[in-house]
Amino acid sequence: MASVLDLLAEASSRPRYAFMVLNLIADVADAEGKAGPFVERDGVPVTLRDWLSDALTPMGGRDPRRMALTSRVRDELARAGRLPVDPAMARDRINAEVCERVRASAKTNLSRAVSELVKAGLLHRHYAGYRLDHHNRGGQRHVVYTIVGRARCLMARAGAPVGTRPAKAKRQGELALN
């Protein structure tokens, strides 16, 4: 793990963000380290990029820029006459528009972080979909990430549900408090 962090510190302009992305990919990767092209969320398949973007979105919830975006969206919808009169419906409409804009921005940040992870040798990227595996995107193909190299240490939890660790996993320095 320490060598992965060192590598990220050298290779990435935003090493903490890149590590979060890598860790999320490891959480949904199969035993071979492949994640995507789809992830199930509430029983519905979602593209891996959308899932990652949505998973990273709460990180900026209290960010002043996010609050400013919410105000801007409220003003834009009011000026355009598309803001419902009912306060609950207006709040839902504003939140939906903010989520859409944040997702688009998150995809850009995600692509940058993944490119840095690919350059660092921690991840491979290819596209799979409608017809066949292909190295170029488009044509109804979606991204698939494969964890490689030193980053495979993050997959020790493979097979466990997303966000959990095996119950009997003992790590050095960990005390069993029952």
Side-chain angles (χ1 to χ4, degrees):
M1 179 73 74
S3 63
V4 170
L5 294 173
D6 285 340
L7 192 56
L8 283 174
E10 291 176 22
S12 178
S13 59
R14 296 171 58 193
R16 285 184 229 146
Y17 184 81
F19 182 73
M20 283 190 295
V21 169
L22 186 61
N23 204 20
L24 285 170
I25 293 168
D27 277 347
V28 295
D30 63 13
E32 286 104 36
K34 290 187 180 186
F38 296 98
V39 174
E40 262 192 44
R41 182 172 55 196
D42 300 325
V44 177
V46 178
T47 65
L48 179 60
R49 281 176 46 116
D50 285 346
W51 182 82
L52 288 168
S53 298
D54 292 346
L56 292 164
T57 296
M59 297 301 294
R62 294 185 307 234
D63 184 24
R65 290 177 291 188
R66 178 78 54 86
M67 291 183 224
L69 175 63
T70 303
S71 296
R72 232 178 11 255
V73 166
R74 182 181 301 112
D75 293 343
E76 289 173 11
L77 290 174
R79 270 187 264 124
R82 297 184 320 178
L83 193 62
V85 177
D86 179 35
M89 290 177 67
R91 186 178 52 248
D92 291 345
R93 173 69 185 221
I94 291 167
N95 288 340
E97 182 68 26
V98 167
C99 285
E100 187 177 314
R101 293 183 188 190
V102 167
R103 182 185 266 185
S105 175
K107 284 182 180 180
T108 301
N109 292 331
L110 179 66
S111 291
R112 187 175 300 125
V114 166
S115 292
E116 290 173 345
L117 291 168
V118 168
K119 285 180 189 174
L122 299 172
L123 207 61
H124 284 167
R125 168 179 42 201
H126 77 278
Y127 297 87
Y130 179 65
R131 286 281 186 188
L132 55 117
D133 286 352
H134 201 273
H135 63 279
N136 291 326
R137 61 183 167 219
Q140 297 180 354
R141 289 183 288 274
H142 300 283
V143 72
V144 176
Y145 300 130
T146 306
I147 297 174
V148 295
R150 295 178 185 173
R152 304 253 326 153
C153 72
L154 296 172
M155 294 182 48
R157 300 173 299 210
V162 175
T164 64
R165 292 180 188 247
K168 297 199 178 207
K170 297 285 184 187
R171 296 188 310 185
Q172 184 177 359
E174 187 173 24
L175 298 174
L177 302 173
N178 293 334

